[in-house]
Amino acid sequence: MSAADEILDIVDEHDHVVAQAPRGEAYAQGLRHRCVFIQARDAEGRLFVHRRTPTKLVFPSLYDMFVGGVVGAGESYDDAALREAEEELGVTGLPRPEYLFKFLYDDGTGHTWWSAVYEVRCELPVSPQVEEVAWHDFLTDDEVELRLRDWEWVPDGLAAYERLRAYRSMG
């Protein structure tokens, strides 16, 4: 099964399931669905950053400071966060990511999804999926901040990053 054929729950503005559709159809028609964003840090506290492959359905070849992806039909956010983190980092036995908050991403051009943000400590050696990750490294927060101006980042990841910074500043 291709990524475009994966069945997703379609949700309303309150994150209630209203239908199901293949991922490709959800993207093509701008149907609201669910995603998870997991900030992964290594034992030194550095942030996992990667560049997406050019074959990705959404935001190909852009940089991201989260691992994650869509929540499958009937899947919980928590289960999707663990699955996506392990898949993208190429590890097994990762601790369950810690849920932080959820927000509705909507760029006004048909990209809209409920976005659950998590964090996880990954002290295992990573081996990211070559289908998903073209380049990766663990960067300090200062290194990420410097590159925010220079690299082209996925817009939903930037939105999640800004909200995460605000969330942490309140705590």
Side-chain angles (χ1 to χ4, degrees):
M1 176 172 80
S2 78
D5 296 328
E6 181 181 2
I7 302 299
L8 308 181
D9 285 332
I10 305 305
V11 296
D12 65 14
E13 66 276 10
H14 304 291
D15 197 19
H16 298 126
V17 177
V18 296
Q20 291 184 334
R23 181 196 291 207
E25 183 180 317
Y27 288 175
Q29 296 180 23
L31 303 175
R32 186 179 295 120
H33 53 284
R34 293 173 170 162
C35 289
V36 290
F37 293 76
I38 307 97
Q39 188 177 70
R41 293 186 179 271
D42 67 6
E44 287 81 48
R46 297 174 303 175
L47 183 60
F48 180 83
V49 175
H50 67 282
R51 189 169 49 82
R52 297 163 62 89
T53 58
T55 56
K56 297 291 285 181
L57 288 174
V58 176
F59 310 134
S61 298
L62 300 187
Y63 288 90
D64 201 348
M65 68 280 285
F66 294 92
V67 293
V70 297
V71 178
E75 186 177 31
S76 72
Y77 282 109
D78 288 351
D79 288 346
L82 180 60
R83 175 183 55 77
E84 286 286 350
E86 287 189 335
E87 283 177 8
E88 281 197 37
L89 293 170
V91 300
T92 54
L94 201 61
R96 186 167 279 280
E98 178 188 348
Y99 172 82
L100 301 174
F101 61 89
K102 187 170 69 168
F103 71 97
L104 178 60
Y105 175 79
D106 189 340
D107 71 358
T109 67
H111 293 121
T112 179
W113 37 84
W114 275 101
S115 307
V117 179
Y118 291 79
E119 64 184 357
V120 71
R121 178 78 58 173
C122 179
E123 298 184 2
L124 303 164
V126 298
S127 179
Q129 284 183 306
V130 295
E131 304 83 18
E132 305 264 341
V133 176
W135 169 91
H136 74 279
D137 200 359
F138 283 94
L139 304 178
T140 66
D141 289 336
D142 288 344
E143 289 171 324
V144 172
E145 286 295 321
L146 284 172
R147 286 171 175 80
L148 285 177
R149 290 179 237 115
D150 301 330
W151 292 355
E152 191 174 2
W153 297 87
V154 296
D156 60 343
L158 273 178
Y161 186 73
E162 293 299 326
R163 283 173 171 83
L164 181 55
R165 281 202 306 208
Y167 172 86
R168 288 200 169 121
S169 71
M170 295 179 342

